[in-house]
Amino acid sequence: MIGRRAFGVFATLVLAGVLAACVTTRSSFPPPGSSPEPAGDSTAATVAQVIGALRIQSVPAVESTRPYRPAEGALLAAAPRSLVQATLPEDPDHGFIVVYAFDSPVAAQAAAQDGAGYLAAGIGGGIQNPPGTEYVLRVVGSNVVYFSWLPASSPDPRTASIATALATLGTGVQVPG
């Protein structure tokens, strides 16, 4: 039989261990220092196509260096990327289009399919974006173009024009849902 004192020490150690396990550190995805590099020349032609398609819809756009990270599957998260921002006067903090670079059209298609599955998953993009979010995933050569938006709460009516413009590029990958 364990004495009272020994039991008290044991219980204190167990409680300390449980509390220590509950302490969390603040982390982010991806961890600092692991963000992919800018894509540079490997996405230049696709970025030009994106900006041109938006111009046809009367939505100006520019390459952006602002920090932006959408809900994305593992293959997209690790890929070099370029960022385009459509100019939406009534919604200046949105309108981001990500262009990811891959080694081949086959790799781009696989990454787009992986991304679509992630966005549809209840434990992936399904909880990172509100219900009703619409996605545009397009494969353009060895690049993937990604845009998401929430029609029910987009303050700028031209946001839908971004999706329309991007639908003219490459081939689409449907997000199940």
Side-chain angles (χ1 to χ4, degrees):
M1 184 151 175
I2 299 177
R4 273 187 171 208
R5 186 173 188 156
F7 180 76
V9 169
F10 176 74
T12 301
L13 291 174
V14 168
L15 180 60
V18 168
L19 291 175
C22 292
V23 174
T24 60
T25 58
R26 197 167 186 189
S27 62
S28 62
F29 179 79
S34 68
S35 290
E37 295 296 316
D41 291 342
S42 60
T43 59
T46 302
V47 166
Q49 288 179 25
V50 167
I51 291 172
L54 291 168
R55 188 178 311 120
I56 291 169
Q57 292 290 323
S58 300
V59 178
V62 295
E63 280 194 79
S64 178
T65 57
R66 286 180 65 180
Y68 176 74
R69 194 83 189 219
E72 55 194 0
L75 296 176
L76 295 177
R81 79 249 345 263
S82 295
L83 183 63
V84 174
Q85 185 177 14
T87 304
L88 299 169
E90 295 176 40
D91 194 10
D93 292 328
H94 293 97
F96 290 105
I97 301 133
V98 185
V99 181
Y100 301 90
F102 293 93
D103 292 333
S104 69
V106 171
Q109 183 70 34
Q113 292 291 344
D114 176 72
Y118 177 81
L119 292 170
I123 60 170
I127 61 169
Q128 291 179 303
N129 292 313
T133 299
E134 292 191 16
Y135 304 98
V136 177
L137 274 173
R138 309 292 296 179
V139 177
V140 181
S142 60
N143 297 151
V144 174
V145 176
Y146 173 48
F147 172 68
S148 64
W149 66 297
L150 186 60
S153 69
S154 294
D156 196 305
R158 294 185 301 167
T159 305
S161 298
I162 298 171
T164 300
L166 296 178
T168 66
L169 304 176
T171 57
V173 173
Q174 189 68 32
V175 175

